[in-house]
Amino acid sequence: MGLTHALIEAQGLAIGYHDRPLADGIDLTVNPGEVLVLLGPNGAGKTTLLRTVLGLLPPIAGSITLLGQDLSRLSRSAIARTVAMVPQSLAPPFSFTARDVVLMARTARLGPFASPGPTDERVVEDALARLGIPHLAERAVTELSGGQRQLVLIARALAQQAPALILDEPTASLDWGNRLRLLDVLERLAADGLGMILSTHEPDHATRLATTVMTIDAQGNVWQGSPAEALDLRRLAALYGLDPAQIDRRHQDRNQSISVARVPSSGTYP
Amino acid sequence: MTDYLETEVRSYRFSRSKAVIPGLLFLGLGASLLLGATIGPYPLAPHKVVSLMAARIVGVIDPSPEATVLFNIRLPRVTAAALVGAALAGAGAAYQTIFRNPLVSPDILGVSADAGLGAALGILWSLPLIIIQLMGFVGGLMTVSLVVLVATMVRGRDDVLVMVLTGLALGALAGAGIAAVKVLADPERQLPAITFWLLGSLAGAKTNDVLLAGLPWLVGLSLLVLLRWRIGVMAMGEDEARALGIETKQLRVIVILSSTLITASAVSISGIIGWVGLMVPHMARLLVGARFDRLLPASVMLGAMFLILVDTAARSLASVEVPLGILTALLGAPVFIWLLSWGRPQWA
């Protein structure tokens, strides 16, 4: 079959706004089953990079391709069929049910005047079942907890049936238990062959999920490497502007939490 | 296991209510049409209404006074009420969804007032109805554009509030314009017409006006109906809707044009009738949920039904006809306050 294209590929990317560039010279590649974890302090440009890769914000320079096709030439629905987004939070102004929200994933596969049909309903049921939340289907998302909303958003991304996922701090609003459950879910999805870019504030996630880690610091310096290299104390300290001794103390606690996270879970979700 | 059972039971209940509620709305709309045609200074029995209409459909021209009352007075008025109610409620549901704002409606965004100013000028200059409609549409469109522009410029504050307050300011501006028109108007001929019309009334609704407003109404509403699924996705917000595959800029323009068109066509028939566009979509949401593809038809039917009933009350409660706008305000203002205070947890 010759060359297969990467799911997501960017070259010489400069991100930000014309009056406020955040980082440049970014190259990245995501293939099926690979997870790129983005680390960096608040405001460094993690969300901006994710929005740029989704085509929601034009790059200042450089190129992005999805499955070998130039992002800037693709329609919104063509992009949505390749990359699904999991936003930081779900806060619709009206009380949509979880099923309504997940059903919206089918939009990119519908004609301009069409509404979802039985096939779409089945895809939605499957996505809800895969995340263990069929019992939430008829609940209003405005009444769900943060963790449940996050699962609904991931179910929506799955129902989009795109080969790549982009997740913006998916664990930010979750309690400790739900964080671990969500990491399990993401691990399974990567094992099923989905490619992912995921931004997070927790370097632990790098060790559990990442194929590659990318860091962006407050000055816009970009670094890429293996998870083991990324978790180097001095590197993390420099990234977040900390004293290495501070991290050292915390890192020991973290080792404990990682060992807890490795205990197999029962496979049920809230 | 119990979870599974519960899901089964729930989805069963839901699939039933999905079919039942539109059916009930349809029946309710038919019943209120019949009721509106029956009640008045010259009462017609419901079976008489039905038999007269059946005869007319078959092509029999009945010269009796009953037929004259029904076809020249009662039916144009009931149809006008249905058209206006459907337009305001449909536009309200669309505005609320694309602006992600439960507190907006044609009147709160200032669209009605500016369409009203356009129409008042039309009366002042004795222009033909089609020009009045056009002026109403342009006035309304300028207002929505300004509201959206201001809300974009002051982003970062509470969007919901900024939009409501901007609409209020522009509505007040239109009010000043209308006051100026009133001062200039001929106090014998034009002033009573303008005043009564600004309070909202269907007393002057004639068959020709309804037919003339019917075309833009049909075009605008058809577009909303065709795009119903995509409009619903816009409620997720700009970035999410785009990530889900919607070209949001195009869609927003089409939805604003359509909603403003149907609002202007309603205003050209009835004058300014407030509160319907705010209140009815919320009532419909309680019945069918937030999904726009269900909310739009429910709002349109409920809006038509609501305005037929209110108009029937307006012309039969007292010996003098009560302006419609007064009745809808009596019903709508408490609902607005309720939304502000208790409704918030549902949508915030």
Side-chain angles (χ1 to χ4, degrees):
Chain A
M1 281 296 288
L3 273 175
T4 46
H5 294 288
L7 285 178
I8 303 172
E9 190 160 17
Q11 273 172 352
L13 202 60
I15 58 165
Y17 305 87
H18 276 285
D19 53 344
R20 202 167 71 92
L22 287 168
D24 58 14
I26 302 172
D27 297 324
L28 63 86
T29 309
V30 178
N31 288 305
E34 289 182 359
V35 181
L36 175 70
V37 170
L38 265 180
L39 291 176
N42 284 326
K46 296 191 298 295
T47 302
T48 308
L49 176 58
L50 297 183
R51 293 186 69 220
T52 309
V53 170
L54 276 160
L56 298 174
L57 188 74
I60 299 175
S63 70
I64 303 165
T65 56
L66 301 181
L67 292 169
Q69 287 180 295
D70 185 356
L71 178 76
S72 62
R73 289 166 188 275
L74 292 173
S75 69
R76 284 307 333 167
S77 51
I79 296 171
R81 287 192 293 268
T82 313
V83 191
M85 171 180 81
V86 178
Q88 279 186 21
S89 61
L90 171 68
F94 306 107
S95 34
F96 290 99
T97 65
R99 190 195 303 278
D100 296 346
V101 170
V102 178
L103 198 53
M104 289 184 189
R106 306 302 296 164
T107 306
R109 290 169 195 279
L110 296 171
F113 301 140
S115 290
T119 321
D120 303 300
E121 304 272 0
R122 265 199 303 282
V123 173
V124 168
E125 297 308 320
D126 286 351
L128 290 169
R130 219 163 140 193
L131 289 172
I133 52 168
H135 58 292
L136 299 182
E138 301 301 342
R139 295 265 304 273
V141 288
T142 41
E143 290 163 13
L144 299 181
S145 71
Q148 291 171 326
R149 289 184 199 203
Q150 209 64 42
L151 291 173
V152 171
L153 284 174
I154 292 175
R156 185 178 74 186
L158 291 185
Q160 217 166 313
Q161 293 182 320
L165 286 190
I166 287 188
L167 305 101
D168 193 3
E169 293 178 22
T171 58
S173 59
L174 303 189
D175 67 37
W176 189 71
N178 280 330
R179 272 172 211 212
L180 297 186
R181 290 193 186 95
L182 193 76
L183 286 179
D184 278 347
V185 170
L186 296 179
E187 236 171 15
R188 257 186 0 231
L189 294 178
D192 289 349
L194 281 169
M196 288 185 229
I197 305 181
L198 172 127
S199 74
T200 177
H201 278 303
E202 292 173 76
D204 312 353
H205 296 174
T207 57
R208 249 194 96 168
L209 284 170
T211 323
T212 315
V213 175
M214 178 182 281
T215 66
I216 307 177
D217 71 12
Q219 284 74 44
N221 300 311
V222 179
W223 174 90
Q224 233 179 118
S226 72
E229 290 173 286
L231 284 184
D232 175 72
L233 267 190
R234 270 163 312 212
R235 186 180 302 286
L236 282 180
L239 181 62
Y240 291 101
L242 290 168
D243 179 356
Q246 279 175 293
I247 304 189
D248 201 26
R249 248 193 346 267
R250 292 277 307 131
H251 197 61
Q252 282 161 8
D253 303 341
R254 193 171 289 119
N255 275 334
Q256 282 174 356
S257 72
I258 290 170
S259 61
V260 174
R262 287 276 155 91
V263 174
S265 81
S266 66
T268 52
Y269 301 98
Chain B
M1 199 59 210
T2 46
D3 275 355
Y4 176 72
L5 274 177
E6 211 175 309
T7 312
E8 280 295 288
V9 170
R10 251 190 221 132
S11 63
Y12 173 67
R13 205 191 305 141
F14 257 75
S15 62
R16 260 166 52 110
S17 70
K18 246 183 272 174
V20 166
I21 288 173
L24 283 178
L25 281 173
F26 209 74
L27 282 179
L29 181 56
S32 48
L33 275 167
L34 197 60
L35 188 76
T38 315
I39 294 177
Y42 190 114
L44 297 167
H47 65 85
K48 186 74 188 161
V49 171
V50 173
S51 65
L52 280 172
M53 283 174 68
R56 174 62 68 101
I57 289 167
V58 183
V60 182
I61 303 294
D62 184 347
S64 69
E66 282 98 339
T68 313
V69 168
L70 181 64
F71 293 113
N72 293 0
I73 300 168
R74 221 51 77 61
L75 274 188
R77 180 150 187 175
V78 173
T79 315
L83 231 68
V84 171
L88 294 175
Y95 285 135
Q96 287 175 8
T97 304
I98 63 159
F99 294 136
R100 314 183 69 215
N101 188 334
L103 294 184
V104 300
S105 65
D107 42 317
I108 288 174
L109 284 173
V111 178
S112 297
D114 269 283
L117 175 59
L121 280 171
I123 296 178
L124 179 69
W125 296 329
S126 311
L127 297 174
L129 187 70
I130 190 155
I131 306 292
I132 297 181
Q133 273 193 20
L134 201 66
M135 289 173 65
F137 177 60
V138 173
L141 205 57
M142 277 166 45
T143 314
V144 200
S145 317
L146 269 173
V147 170
V148 173
L149 188 73
V150 172
T152 321
M153 283 183 342
V154 287
R155 186 148 280 175
R157 313 251 179 91
D158 186 346
D159 263 10
V160 173
L161 207 60
V162 166
M163 210 168 254
V164 172
L165 293 179
T166 314
L168 199 76
L170 291 173
L173 211 58
I178 291 171
V181 172
K182 279 181 170 173
V183 171
L184 295 172
D186 175 352
E188 296 289 313
R189 271 183 323 112
Q190 295 168 330
L191 192 57
I194 293 177
T195 308
F196 201 65
W197 191 84
L198 288 175
L199 288 171
S201 168
L202 290 162
K206 294 182 201 67
T207 311
N208 281 346
D209 303 356
V210 173
L211 290 179
L212 193 58
L215 184 67
W217 180 87
L218 196 64
V219 170
L221 206 57
S222 305
L223 278 169
L224 292 184
V225 170
L226 284 172
L227 292 165
R228 63 197 180 281
W229 177 257
R230 300 188 156 245
I231 296 172
V233 178
M234 296 277 285
M236 291 288 118
E238 180 78 12
D239 269 11
E240 271 187 70
R242 291 180 72 198
L244 288 167
I246 304 265
E247 309 281 350
T248 50
K249 281 200 184 101
Q250 287 175 15
L251 188 63
R252 185 174 294 112
V253 169
I254 298 174
V255 174
I256 288 176
L257 283 176
S258 313
S259 308
T260 308
L261 188 64
I262 57 178
T263 304
S265 68
V267 169
S268 78
I269 298 177
S270 66
I272 299 171
I273 296 175
W275 304 103
V276 177
L278 176 82
M279 192 171 32
V280 173
H282 285 287
M283 288 160 46
R285 219 173 263 121
L286 290 177
L287 288 177
V288 298
R291 264 178 72 167
F292 189 75
D293 55 333
R294 292 181 191 148
L295 179 67
L296 180 67
S299 297
V300 164
M301 284 196 276
L302 206 59
M305 200 191 316
F306 177 79
L307 209 60
I308 292 172
L309 293 178
V310 174
D311 181 54
T312 306
R315 62 190 164 82
S316 59
L317 277 184
S319 53
V320 185
E321 180 163 337
V322 187
L324 257 184
I326 293 178
L327 285 186
T328 56
L330 276 177
L331 295 167
V335 172
F336 186 73
I337 292 168
W338 171 76
L339 276 174
L340 266 180
S341 47
W342 287 281
R344 185 130 200 161
Q346 277 191 352
W347 40 264

